[in-house]
Each structure stands twice: as structure tokens, then as C-alpha cells.
Amino acid sequence: MRVLVVEDERRMAAALRRGLQAEGFAVDLAHDGNEGLHLARVGDYDVVVLDIMLPGMSGYNVCKQLRAEENWVPILMLSAKDGEYDMADGLDLGADDYLTKPFSYVVLVARLRALLRRGGGRRPAVLSAGDLSLDPAARVVTRGEAPVELTPREFALLEYLMRRPGEVVSKPEILEHVWDTYDTDPNVVEVYVGYLRRKIDTPFGRAALQTVRGAGYRLASDGG
């Protein structure tokens, strides 16, 4: 497995390389953000270990740029910052895991192996279907350049459907994941689908949110 370590502290980087090589990984090093971004773009890596505080370009910006380019290589962020907002920022930008320094080397290797098991499938930080986009972290929905104001429940319903574009999702599934219950009247789903259509489709002459008779609902992957 090929690992890219982006770490400006050279002794730390060298120690990580030795330890990971001893575990059977092939390891490349980069010591600043620009070099790390370049290598991540051109190299076929299975996972990236990315420090946040880097010269040239921060780890946050490296991660953000890779995800903007739809590069879904798993990313584990390293940082001396242990605040909850620092961690949230990294994960919201598209990182897959976050480890604070000083860290246990055993835990680092275990987390890398967990990321490798998950693989590098598509995991966008901002969900999109055509010109319809939803940012879970910022709680923002837009249709083209136009903002769309949603209630918390409408937002949760749209997010669930946008995470499964093109798939038919049943009312019981929606109740379980959006309302966290099976006991609510299933007709409430139909009501909220109607609310959503009047906000994301009707004003724009679109038909993204589709009813599949007898099966459930589907959000068109092209945004309608």
C-alpha cells in the first residue's frame, strides 16, 4: 500500500516513514503543502497522512483542493491543534480522520488500516445533483446561484435523498433516517416531499424530486 506523508517537521516525517515502512507500507514524503498537493495529484496513493500547519499551503487547503478536483484518496489529518472546531473544520473539508499530536503510533497504523478497508469512493463535502447543491456543514442549499431556504426537517430530507442520487428510497427508509422512527404517519413524508418540490423544483421549472408509484421517491442525479 502506498502512503503519502505530508509533514514539514523533518524528524517527525522521517520517523513516520521508518515506522510505516516497517509495517509494510511504501512511503513518499512531502515537506510543504504545495509539494504535497502535487504528489497527491500525480501519485496513485492508497492513503494520505496530512499535517495541517504546513508552509506554502495549509493542510486544510490541500484537502479542500483535492476534494474540489474529485480526488477521493482517503486523508488522515495530523495536527497539534486539539480543539473540537479544528477537528470539525478538517472533517467538514473532506478529511476522513483526524489525529492530534502527540499520538500513539499503534493508533495511527490502526486508523490507516481502517481507512484502507473503506477505500477511496466518492465522498464529496458538498453534495450536488446538476445545479442543485447542498453543503451539510454550512447548512446551505442553492439551485444554480439562487439560495434555497429550508426548514431543518426539509434540509435533512433533501440531504438523505442527495446522498443516494438516482436511487428509489421508500417511505419507511426515509422515516427511519430522517425522522428516526417507524411510528410516524408515513403520509408525513409525502407532505414534506411536497414542501421540498415547491422550493427546489417548482420555482425553477425543474422536476428533480420524483415519485415512483408504489416504491417511494427518487432524486434525479442530474438535478431534474
Side-chain angles (χ1 to χ4, degrees):
M1 292 294 181
R2 293 189 66 203
V3 179
L4 173 62
V5 174
V6 189
E7 168 62 69
D8 63 319
E9 296 179 25
R10 291 180 180 267
R11 285 197 299 177
M12 167 75 77
L16 285 171
R17 171 185 257 171
R18 288 194 301 271
L20 291 172
Q21 285 176 336
E23 296 287 336
F25 294 98
V27 183
D28 290 335
L29 297 181
H31 299 296
D32 63 64
N34 292 319
E35 182 187 11
L37 177 60
H38 171 70
L39 290 177
R41 281 170 166 165
V42 301
D44 184 20
Y45 294 102
D46 297 291
V47 66
V48 175
V49 178
L50 179 64
D51 190 32
I52 289 178
M53 302 299 290
L54 294 167
M57 176 183 286
S58 73
Y60 288 137
N61 287 332
V62 172
C63 180
K64 182 178 180 179
Q65 185 62 38
L66 288 172
R67 296 312 189 224
E69 296 170 3
E70 299 197 355
N71 184 326
W72 308 114
V73 61
I75 295 174
L76 186 151
M77 280 191 162
L78 295 179
S79 179
K81 296 182 174 183
D82 60 358
E84 59 185 16
Y85 290 105
D86 298 308
M87 184 180 298
D89 285 344
L91 297 174
D92 283 339
L93 286 171
D96 300 279
D97 204 350
Y98 188 106
L99 199 56
T100 57
K101 302 174 182 178
F103 53 83
S104 161
Y105 182 74
V106 172
V107 171
L108 170 66
V109 172
R111 290 192 175 189
L112 289 179
R113 294 201 186 282
L115 290 178
L116 289 168
R117 286 195 297 272
R118 292 178 214 161
R122 192 171 186 273
R123 303 176 309 285
V126 176
L127 307 175
S128 62
D131 66 348
L132 179 66
S133 68
L134 180 149
D135 186 332
R139 309 292 293 179
V140 170
V141 174
T142 57
R143 174 66 96 165
E145 298 297 321
V148 179
E149 298 295 329
L150 300 180
T151 67
R153 188 72 73 185
E154 291 166 353
F155 188 96
L157 175 57
L158 181 60
E159 180 179 358
Y160 182 63
L161 293 171
M162 289 187 73
R163 290 191 182 278
R164 301 176 62 177
E167 296 182 26
V168 177
V169 183
S170 69
K171 285 184 180 180
E173 287 178 276
I174 292 172
L175 285 175
E176 180 186 4
H177 290 274
V178 177
W179 274 264
D180 195 25
T181 179
Y182 287 110
D183 298 331
T184 303
D185 184 347
N187 289 328
V188 74
V189 176
E190 186 175 341
V191 170
Y192 272 84
V193 165
Y195 292 159
L196 264 185
R197 282 193 177 119
R198 288 195 287 274
K199 293 184 177 182
I200 68 169
D201 280 344
T202 305
F204 306 96
R206 304 297 184 83
L209 192 42
Q210 304 165 353
T211 299
V212 181
R213 189 172 297 277
Y217 301 95
R218 174 175 55 217
L219 186 86
S221 57
D222 63 359

